[in-house]
Amino acid sequence: MKIAILPGDGIGPEIVAEAVKVLERLRRDGLDVEWTHAPIGGAGYDAYGDPLPASTLALAKAADAILLGAVGAPKYDALPREKRPEQGLLRIRKELELFANLRPALVHDELAAASALKPERVAGLDLLIVRELTGDIYFGQPRGIRVNAAGEREGFDTMVYAEGEIRRIAHVAFQAARKRRKQVCSVDKANVLETSRLWREVVTAVGREYPDVALTHMYVDNAAMQLVRNPKQFDVILTGNMFGDILSDEASMLTGSIGMLPSASLDAHNKGLYEPVHGSAPDIAGQGVANPLATILSLAMLLRYSLGMEEAARRVERAVGAVLASGVRTADIAEPGVKPVSTAAMGDAVVAAL
Ligand code: NAD
Ligand code: IPM
Ligand code: MN
């Protein structure tokens, strides 16, 4: 099995290096995997003048799965949109048709105290955000900046969803719910947006094919509030690209830190790109303090969904659980009075626990 490793920018290379340590250990124990590194984001721009170099895209297409760190850094902020690091990530998602983004938010018992909420409100929390990833206002045309009739510049984007796009992501959510607590909450803004009206209609129709799964609908503003009021009411949250982006960062704080949240972005055949939910964290890049667990847990999802290596995936997740139980903490999840360890020491601890 071949994995393309795309570290990206900022803390990306630091956290990915720890996941590679885990892979090295698994390979030494007989796992049949090999991997190749390639640049994406700002690193791609620096090397080839393109945030998604053709060689990187070709490597990603040829691989069985992709592990990505994060992209973006302030020094690229002034570039035209097509050259920005974020564009490399959006393009690889689109090119590979990775429409289904799974973002599980799981509270490890040991970390309930690190949550932004009271421990009893989050203990045992296990929710899954199913975020549509290749449509919505992220990709809709037309978009741009134009001069309006008053001679003033105005920016515009297009929020658009085709029925087929809604249908296929809805199936992903209902199928995921079947393996869980059989509840889907579809999140939209159907009281205001036409895209959301269609979204709700199509999701409701798909829901009829899953009579064993309970479907509810919620407006996104209420959902943002309910996530902090009573997050355990949710099993699977199904939502569009932009709402899912925002709600998943919010959900990360229920688990203690955004440094804990992994994700899988899958196509229709379970080929996938795996990355932490967080970004390149320019404020802490280069300091060796970032939490690598979201990336290591993303590797576990990669082993499970794209390589079919369930036992290896569980082994990695158990090791992470053991490390947390032993009290090892990076700064973002350290309780007051606990001396945090470095990114590399956290990676080493996971390898040791394997
Ligand atoms: P961010 O997620 O990079 O950082 C937000 C905050 O969380 C920062 O204080 C950061 O230090 C902290 N944080 C993030 N990951 C952490 C980790 N593993 N351990 C400890 N702390 C962590 O979001 P931002 O600051 O809004 O964006 C920074 C850059 O990253 C931007 O260029 C943005 O476009 C990009 N970005 C990329 C991705 C991605 O590659 N998937 C995702 C989000 C943002
Ligand atoms: C994410 C990120 C990306 C997104 C950006 C960097 C394009 O925030 O993966 O959550 O908005 O999808
Ligand atoms: Mn995001």
Side-chain angles (χ1 to χ4, degrees):
M1 289 289 191
K2 290 191 178 58
I3 304 174
I5 307 248
L6 315 181
D9 311 316
I11 61 169
E14 302 169 38
I15 53 181
V16 163
E18 302 313 310
V20 169
K21 281 184 191 166
V22 170
L23 263 178
E24 274 162 356
R25 173 58 202 264
L26 294 174
R27 184 167 65 180
R28 237 183 299 139
D29 291 347
L31 205 74
D32 184 16
V33 284
E34 51 185 71
W35 56 88
T36 311
H37 284 70
I40 193 168
Y45 177 76
D46 288 342
Y48 298 99
D50 185 349
L52 180 60
S55 51
T56 298
L57 180 60
L59 181 82
K61 281 187 170 164
D64 297 296
I66 302 146
L67 183 70
L68 188 140
V71 299
K75 72 167 176 165
Y76 307 108
D77 282 352
L79 288 174
R81 193 171 61 85
E82 327 77 68
K83 299 283 184 194
R84 282 190 60 128
E86 292 81 358
Q87 209 54 30
L89 182 60
L90 295 174
R91 270 172 52 208
I92 198 171
R93 289 173 179 170
K94 193 74 172 171
E95 287 274 352
L96 299 181
E97 287 190 80
L98 306 171
F99 69 90
N101 187 210
L102 311 183
R103 298 188 156 185
L106 208 93
V107 171
H108 293 260
D109 287 346
E110 304 80 13
L111 282 189
S115 169
L117 298 190
K118 296 189 184 81
E120 63 273 18
R121 218 158 268 190
V122 295
L125 177 80
D126 174 5
L127 70 83
L128 175 68
I129 296 179
V130 176
R131 170 191 178 197
E132 200 287 331
L133 201 60
T134 52
D136 204 349
I137 197 165
Y138 273 58
F139 294 94
Q141 292 291 342
R143 59 186 292 161
I145 296 174
R146 64 191 169 201
V147 178
N148 67 17
E152 194 186 15
R153 288 185 312 148
E154 61 185 19
F156 59 102
D157 297 274
T158 301
M159 182 178 261
V160 53
Y161 262 125
E163 283 174 287
E165 289 178 304
I166 303 169
R167 207 174 289 123
R168 66 181 181 175
I169 193 68
H171 279 290
V172 170
F174 284 106
Q175 276 162 22
R178 268 196 173 152
K179 297 186 195 138
R180 300 169 46 95
R181 298 189 304 278
K182 300 191 169 52
Q183 297 171 41
V184 170
C185 178
S186 175
V187 171
D188 62 33
K189 188 74 187 173
N191 50 347
V192 176
L193 302 173
E194 295 299 328
T195 37
S196 283
R197 261 174 25 132
L198 185 67
W199 177 279
R200 197 172 273 219
E201 184 189 314
V202 172
V203 169
T204 302
V206 172
R208 290 195 196 100
E209 297 175 41
Y210 299 84
D212 52 320
V213 178
L215 170 65
T216 53
H217 301 274
M218 197 180 276
Y219 298 133
V220 63
D221 46 352
N222 185 22
M225 184 274 280
Q226 295 293 342
L227 264 177
V228 288
R229 190 185 76 88
N230 175 20
K232 283 191 249 179
Q233 71 185 281
F234 296 108
D235 178 19
V236 174
I237 292 178
L238 163 64
T239 191
N241 203 346
M242 185 159 70
F243 298 156
D245 179 43
I246 298 166
L247 293 180
S248 54
D249 265 37
E250 187 186 357
S252 76
M253 273 322 289
L254 308 173
T255 73
S257 165
I258 194 160
M260 293 298 301
L261 227 66
S263 83
S265 306
L266 305 175
D267 74 1
H269 317 286
N270 278 359
K271 167 132 181 194
L273 181 153
Y274 298 81
E275 56 171 331
V277 165
H278 62 72
S280 56
D283 54 338
I284 56 168
Q287 300 173 22
V289 299
N291 186 345
L293 292 181
T295 313
I296 291 172
L297 291 168
S298 298
L299 172 63
M301 292 183 88
L302 179 157
L303 294 166
R304 170 171 297 123
Y305 291 112
S306 285
L307 305 193
M309 298 173 172
E310 176 64 26
E311 191 36 51
R314 287 207 187 149
R315 194 172 159 211
V316 173
E317 287 164 352
R318 276 198 305 268
V320 169
V323 167
L324 292 174
S326 74
V328 177
R329 299 282 185 269
T330 43
D332 56 317
I333 50 173
E335 297 87 353
V338 173
K339 191 176 178 313
V341 303
S342 68
T343 307
M346 180 57 101
D348 291 342
V350 174
V351 171
L354 281 168

